[in-house]
Amino acid sequence: MTKKYCVIGYPIAHSLSPAIHNTLYELYHLDCEYTAYPVDRKDLEAFLRQISARDIHGFNITMPLKRDIIPYLDSVAEHARGSVNTVVATDGKLCGYSTDAQGFYTSLRSIGADYSDQNIVFIGAGAVTGLLCADASRRNAKEITILGRTLPKAQNLAQNCNARAAGLDQLQAFMPQCGLLVNTTPLGMSGTGQDFDSLDFIDMLPASATVCDLIYSPSETAFLKRARKRGLKTMNGLGMLIWQAFYAFEKFCGILPTVEDYQKVLSKLKQGNQ
């Protein structure tokens, strides 16, 4: 019998998760299917009641439900206490995990960058920032700064992962010593109509800095383009997206896809964009 998996969130039509997982099912000859369900906060409880009837064995969660899902879970892994993106359904129990930090770090390492001994600045104070910040702290980052529009929110995240917090208006002050700059906000994302008011702060970064954006649509935001033109190493969010899906696939199917699988999935995604 075909095992069913899915991703939930809203909006969801743009999600690349079905393409990634269904490609993996083909590569590993698994009798599984992966779909996308549009689920908003008001629909979440109704969706969860239908899991058994729909014979769903696991699902991924995207915005805006990564925190909302937590009270409904029977267990949550320690690393995912603030944000869950993967749920495994076993014997009527829902177990929550997060593969976002793993996905980002694997992608970061693939371009020859790392957290270790780096001064890291995160632009944004959302749930994913908290996960990445905690992971960077565990991986021996030298200093971590979280910059947020709402200072108390940034401070709350910072106190949980050995970091400091400041307002987004203080951005320029942290650039000269920054070795890794990561944008976790939607600024510059296709369809939002919002972007940074100015990108002059990019010019204040050291020549050795790495600049990352969790956005993958467009493939190069104005933020990354400015950094690339300066000759800085850059990375968009597509690698993170694929690797977090691979780690979720491992939770679902017990198989961790390879670097070779990554190239095959990437090729499939590029074909779909043409």
Side-chain angles (χ1 to χ4, degrees), residues 209-229:
T210 298
V211 178
C212 304
D213 201 326
L214 300 196
I215 293 167
Y216 57 86
S217 179
S219 59
E220 186 177 63
T221 56
F223 173 78
L224 288 184
K225 185 176 183 179
R226 180 72 166 258
R228 178 178 58 79
K229 285 189 170 180

Side-chain angles (χ1 to χ4, degrees), residues 122-126 129 146-149 154 157 168 182-185:
F122 291 102
I123 302 174
T129 300
I146 299 174
L147 303 175
R149 280 200 177 119
L157 282 184
L168 199 52
V182 185
N183 175 42
T184 68
T185 75

Side-chain angles (χ1 to χ4, degrees), residues 252-271:
F252 295 150
C253 302
I255 302 167
L256 179 60
T258 65
V259 173
E260 289 74 19
D261 295 331
Y262 179 94
Q263 294 303 325
K264 291 174 183 176
V265 167
L266 185 61
S267 176
K268 192 74 171 282
L269 294 179
K270 286 181 177 178
Q271 288 173 19

Side-chain angles (χ1 to χ4, degrees), residues 144-184:
I144 304 170
T145 305
I146 299 174
L147 303 175
R149 280 200 177 119
T150 307
L151 184 56
K153 191 175 178 182
Q155 289 171 329
N156 184 54
L157 282 184
Q159 69 183 5
N160 293 324
C161 54
N162 195 31
R164 62 183 176 183
L168 199 52
D169 58 345
Q170 300 297 309
L171 180 59
Q172 292 191 3
F174 296 97
M175 293 300 97
Q177 283 76 45
C178 177
L180 175 62
L181 178 63
V182 185
N183 175 42
T184 68

